[in-house]
Amino acid sequence: MWLRDEEPGVTSIGGRLDVLDGRIVDERLHQISERLKARYPGLDHSARRAKALSLAMNPELVLTILEADQPALGLRRPGAAGAAWRGRGAAFPGRRPAQAVP
């Protein structure tokens, strides 16, 4: 792998992978770039793939973006589900939350 600053504000990246790893990287970049269309409407496919590569280096950021763009998927970071349901009895299936006594 190599990185080279080509001009101010632009870095080129290159390298060699075996065929299977190359195909996996290519497919993942394609998938992420497709999900980024709405978020980055001014970027063409190639620029979105570059953005996808940089985002892939920060998995929590990718997850945050996917959660924000696709709330219906119900994606949650580890630990987030517990915080969202704390105090509602969800930790103990079949048990009702405590009721206030009049």
Side-chain angles (χ1 to χ4, degrees):
M1 296 297 306
W2 52 263
L3 286 104
R4 183 178 306 131
D5 292 337
E6 297 291 328
E7 56 188 76
V10 177
T11 298
S12 292
I13 185 170
R16 295 172 56 102
L17 300 170
D18 66 48
V19 173
L20 181 57
D21 288 342
R23 288 183 179 162
I24 290 169
V25 169
D26 182 53
E27 180 61 26
R28 290 291 181 254
L29 291 178
H30 175 75
Q31 289 172 351
I32 296 170
S33 72
E34 288 298 304
R35 302 290 282 284
L36 295 177
K37 276 183 179 180
R39 183 171 283 270
Y40 300 100
L43 298 181
D44 65 13
H45 181 70
S46 179
R48 282 194 320 273
R49 284 173 59 90
K51 177 61 77 179
L53 180 61
S54 66
L55 290 173
M57 299 299 107
N58 188 342
E60 285 205 16
L61 180 57
V62 171
L63 185 56
T64 298
I65 288 172
L66 294 178
E67 285 175 340
D69 291 346
Q70 302 291 328
L73 293 177
L75 299 173
R76 295 194 181 263
R77 279 174 268 142
W85 291 100
R86 191 170 295 137
R88 297 186 189 174
F92 304 98
R95 181 175 165 192
R96 291 188 196 156
Q99 299 293 321
V101 178

